[in-house]
Amino acid sequence: MVHERVATPRTGLIRLAFWLVGGVLLASTVLPLLGLVTFQSPAHVAEVGAMPEVWSAIAVSVAGALVAAACAAVFGFPLAYVLAHSQFRGKRVVEAIVDLPLAVPHTVAGIALLFVYGRHGILGVPLANVFGLHFWGTFAGIVVAMLFVSAPYAVNAARIGFSGVDPRLEKVARTLGVGPWAVLVRVTLPLAWPSLLTGVTLTFARAISEFGAVVILAYYPMTAPVRIYALFLRFGVNQAAAMSVIVLAIVLALFLIFRYLPVWRGSRPELLR
Amino acid sequence: MTQTGLRVEGLRVQLGEFALSDIGLDVAPGQCCVVLGPNGAGKSVLLETLAGFYPVRSGRVLVHGQDVTRTAPERRGIALLFQDFALFPNLSVADNIRFGLRHGRGGVREAARVEDLLRRFGLSALRDRRPNQLSGGEKQKVALARAMAVEPQVFLFDEPASALDARTRAGLQEALKHFLHETGVPAVYVTHDHAEARALADHVLVLSQGKGVQAGRPADIFDRPVNAFVAGFVAIDTMVPARLVERNRDHVLFAVGGARLSAASADIGRDRDALLCIRAEYVQLAGHAPADSGAGSNVLPATVMDAIDRGPYFRVDLDAGFCLSAYVMKHSAGELDLTPGARLWAHVPPERVHAVAREPV
């Protein structure tokens, strides 16, 4: 049973007060974005929108964020499953490591990544020699930087999802003749599905908005935030603002699609039945 | 040796601090063994061990003579039904039942089997419902049908009635007994409710702190508990400290408070201090002293202290030199004065006086 909280006269007053206070936060989010959009002339936006480098930067951003989100899922979900389902010595340390990127300033992250993946980095050199994989100033570098700052969102959301799955459901499935891997696919994943989607969405959103770490490890090829920064340095605020409007519209559209498309959100995929 | 049913021999399990030790069970096809014990006694651990979820230190689990002690849960043929039935919340009733059937082949036979189970359990009209739209009784049917679909060799029930209201619970017990009889599958049923154990059990195992304290037919457990713990747990109405006065060939005489009671037997070793257990349903009340009321006949003058209405009967608490409880069916209550202070005669048949050793508390 869901008990709806009905406002009595006094709690009604509390709610009104809370709405007013919370409204300040909402306004501080919406107003700058609204201001950005309203103070641009459509002609100016159209002019910037005609520049091919604007669109290539947006494409790099979207592609990079998608790959980063996919990597976060592939490497992060198994870790989240282990964290949700088992107790072991040093679990708190692992959890702290997962959350660490949230506390590290992103320029610091960029510098640190440079030492690992840069042209003289400890992983950069062998990966370049063995696989021909370069990170400094490449798409791979963008993905690595995005992944570093956004992976915690994937792991944490998935961990909450996996812990929410009643272990007895998995046990019952076993007694019904279903092996452990099939239980994972047929019980655990479908039940954790909404949280996994939230994790991917948040990871994508965080990755696409990343500037600090990306700009240090991979200035080129330019992502949208880096291109906006470059426009700002070269042509001033107006050019940068016009491109910002375009980027904002696209990111917002993608975010809404991820968040509210029914196939993503409520219903679990039929194949998992 | 061919052996049918479920057999558990000397089972030992160690889980951190908690240990389950020397558990033995023997459940014939269609029979129900009730494991009775307080919370934390290890009942659920025992069930999940039988289902294959905890490693066994020593001992064996045999299903129809086949050793499954080291077999994975999905290959044991042992179905486990949890307290709240653990239905898959994202699946419809029909898909829950189908769950264990799907091994990639599917097809007509699988569909027919689901239809058959839906019909047998009276669930056809609910086939597209989600578990959160079902009542407790309906959930229980779905869980049973889902387990039946894979044709288990053994059923394990983990307090399935505790999630139900009293009326549904009574219905469940009858239905379950009937169901087990019909399917001929041996079952182990875990509960902390002695009344439920009495209603369901062909055989009872009392568990305390991971150890089997007493095993036997329900009558053995309920009328002749081996110690004070079991006696308390099966809710013996009168439990009173007593001291052995004399032991004859045909009876044992005890001093109880201000009265004397004889028991047909007393297995309390060399100890003279005992706890006498008397179930209220065996105490007879009369308005006048019966003809045969000499010493050793266990007829005691008693004063009514309280009479509690329990629906079909009164539970009467008496002062008979010690506190004694009796049940009086309502149809015979008219012949007795049950108002507090009224004087009656209580007869306690010596064979119904059960003595256990008094343990240091």
Side-chain angles (χ1 to χ4, degrees):
Chain A
M1 275 301 166
V2 179
H3 290 274
E4 187 154 351
R5 287 174 185 240
V6 180
T8 59
R10 288 189 60 193
T11 59
L13 204 65
I14 291 177
R15 262 188 229 189
L16 182 65
F18 282 7
W19 266 115
L20 288 174
V21 176
V24 174
L25 191 72
L26 291 177
S28 72
T29 304
V30 174
L31 277 182
L33 299 179
L34 219 55
L36 175 70
V37 175
T38 46
F39 289 111
Q40 301 308 314
S41 75
H44 197 58
V45 172
E47 182 194 322
V48 172
M51 296 159 73
E53 62 264 38
V54 166
W55 291 101
S56 68
I58 290 172
V60 167
S61 268
V62 172
L66 282 176
V67 175
C71 290
V74 168
F75 295 103
F77 290 173
L79 179 61
Y81 183 87
V82 173
L83 287 174
H85 276 258
S86 47
Q87 299 299 328
F88 53 89
R89 208 183 275 253
K91 183 174 172 179
R92 286 176 161 264
V93 176
V94 175
E95 284 171 346
I97 292 173
V98 167
D99 284 339
L100 202 57
L102 300 176
V104 175
H106 293 174
T107 41
V108 174
I111 303 281
L113 288 169
L114 207 54
F115 276 100
V116 178
Y117 296 103
R119 276 180 297 187
H120 308 292
I122 49 171
L123 281 181
V125 175
L127 285 173
N129 290 341
V130 179
F131 299 106
L133 198 57
H134 297 272
F135 292 91
W136 195 78
T138 66
F139 183 72
I142 292 170
V143 170
V144 162
M146 284 178 165
L147 186 62
F148 183 90
V149 297
S150 64
Y153 296 92
V155 178
N156 286 331
R159 190 181 55 188
I160 291 166
F162 287 133
S163 347
V165 178
D166 185 346
R168 289 178 308 171
L169 293 175
E170 296 167 320
K171 284 181 176 168
V172 158
R174 295 286 299 276
T175 67
L176 292 169
V178 178
W181 285 102
V183 167
L184 191 67
V185 174
R186 293 182 59 196
V187 178
T188 316
L189 286 181
L191 291 174
W193 193 247
S195 297
L196 301 185
L197 286 181
T198 303
V200 170
T201 308
L202 289 176
T203 307
F204 174 83
R206 185 67 199 82
I208 204 167
S209 60
E210 180 53 22
F211 171 74
V214 170
V215 81
I216 288 174
L217 190 63
Y219 190 83
Y220 292 106
M222 281 189 182
T223 62
V226 176
R227 173 65 70 187
I228 290 170
Y229 183 62
L231 287 178
F232 177 70
L233 291 184
R234 264 169 64 201
F235 305 110
V237 74
N238 285 338
Q239 294 267 359
M243 182 176 170
S244 297
V245 171
I246 297 170
V247 171
L248 185 65
I250 287 170
V251 169
L252 219 56
L254 286 172
F255 190 69
L256 289 178
I257 286 171
F258 274 145
R259 216 176 151 81
Y260 293 108
L261 212 64
V263 73
W264 283 97
R265 203 163 156 256
S267 62
R268 296 154 178 115
E270 291 297 297
L271 78 114
L272 296 177
R273 291 220 293 188
Chain B
M1 180 184 78
T2 53
Q3 157 103 45
T4 54
L6 171 73
R7 193 179 163 85
V8 178
E9 298 169 349
L11 200 65
R12 266 179 57 87
V13 177
Q14 187 77 41
L15 285 176
E17 300 280 286
F18 183 80
L20 207 61
S21 57
D22 302 321
I23 304 291
L25 289 176
D26 220 331
V27 194
Q31 295 235 303
C32 183
C33 170
V34 172
V35 177
L36 186 62
N39 290 331
K43 304 188 299 286
S44 296
V45 172
L46 171 58
L47 279 200
E48 294 194 11
T49 304
L50 297 183
F53 293 108
Y54 296 119
V56 170
R57 273 276 176 93
S58 63
R60 297 200 301 168
V61 180
L62 302 163
V63 176
H64 295 321
Q66 198 179 359
D67 190 338
V68 298
T69 317
R70 314 264 169 236
T71 310
E74 61 269 24
R75 294 171 200 278
R76 286 194 178 201
I78 296 182
L80 178 56
L81 278 89
F82 280 108
Q83 203 169 86
D84 56 0
F85 310 117
L87 300 179
F88 301 114
N90 53 330
L91 302 183
S92 69
V93 166
D95 284 337
N96 262 284
I97 295 172
R98 189 175 292 122
F99 189 89
L101 288 175
R102 216 189 72 164
H103 295 296
R105 292 186 293 279
V108 185
R109 268 182 51 203
E110 175 196 308
R113 179 126 182 85
V114 173
E115 288 309 317
D116 179 47
L117 285 163
L118 283 168
R119 222 180 6 256
R120 264 181 67 191
F121 285 86
L123 294 166
S124 298
L126 307 174
R127 56 180 309 138
D128 295 321
R129 295 258 188 104
R130 293 289 164 109
N132 61 4
Q133 301 168 299
L134 301 176
S135 72
E138 289 162 350
K139 282 184 192 172
Q140 174 242 326
K141 285 183 192 168
V142 178
L144 270 179
R146 180 178 65 178
M148 276 305 287
V150 297
E151 297 173 341
Q153 309 294 304
V154 174
F155 270 117
L156 306 177
F157 296 92
D158 193 355
E159 310 219 17
S162 58
L164 305 176
D165 60 82
R167 250 179 59 194
T168 320
R169 194 181 307 171
L172 161 73
Q173 286 160 5
E174 281 163 37
L176 201 63
K177 207 149 187 186
H178 184 71
F179 171 79
L180 294 174
H181 214 78
E182 196 182 316
T183 54
V185 176
V188 179
Y189 189 106
V190 149
T191 182
H192 63 267
D193 179 353
H194 61 90
E196 203 176 3
R198 193 173 256 222
L200 277 171
D202 297 298
H203 189 86
V204 178
L205 171 70
V206 183
L207 207 61
S208 169
Q209 297 179 335
K211 287 190 176 64
V213 217
Q214 188 175 3
R217 291 176 302 123
D220 296 334
I221 310 284
F222 289 101
D223 292 347
R224 285 180 289 283
V226 291
N227 59 25
F229 167 79
V230 179
F233 202 71
V234 300
I236 293 210
D237 312 83
T238 299
M239 283 167 65
V240 56
R243 191 164 172 80
L244 193 144
V245 177
E246 68 176 32
R247 196 188 271 275
N248 287 343
R249 204 183 313 151
D250 57 347
H251 73 281
V252 189
L253 192 64
F254 286 96
V256 193
R260 299 220 156 183
L261 268 182
S262 72
S265 66
D267 188 14
I268 54 170
R270 302 169 74 89
D271 214 348
R272 297 187 77 82
D273 284 322
L275 201 62
L276 295 189
C277 307
I278 304 163
R279 294 208 81 97
E281 59 262 40
Y282 297 133
V283 178
Q284 298 156 22
L285 298 184
H288 307 282
D292 171 30
S293 58
S297 64
N298 282 359
V299 174
L300 309 165
T303 309
V304 174
M305 297 193 294
D306 200 3
I308 300 152
D309 191 335
R310 287 278 184 84
Y313 61 90
F314 290 103
R315 177 198 153 121
V316 186
D317 291 334
L318 304 147
D319 178 1
F322 58 98
C323 185
L324 178 70
S325 296
Y327 293 151
V328 177
M329 294 306 291
K330 284 203 171 157
H331 60 72
S332 53
E335 302 152 20
L336 294 169
D337 182 5
L338 297 179
T339 51
R343 301 189 66 81
L344 297 170
W345 294 86
H347 178 216
V348 186
E351 66 275 15
R352 297 301 187 187
V353 178
H354 176 69
V356 298
R358 208 191 308 175
E359 283 156 25
V361 186

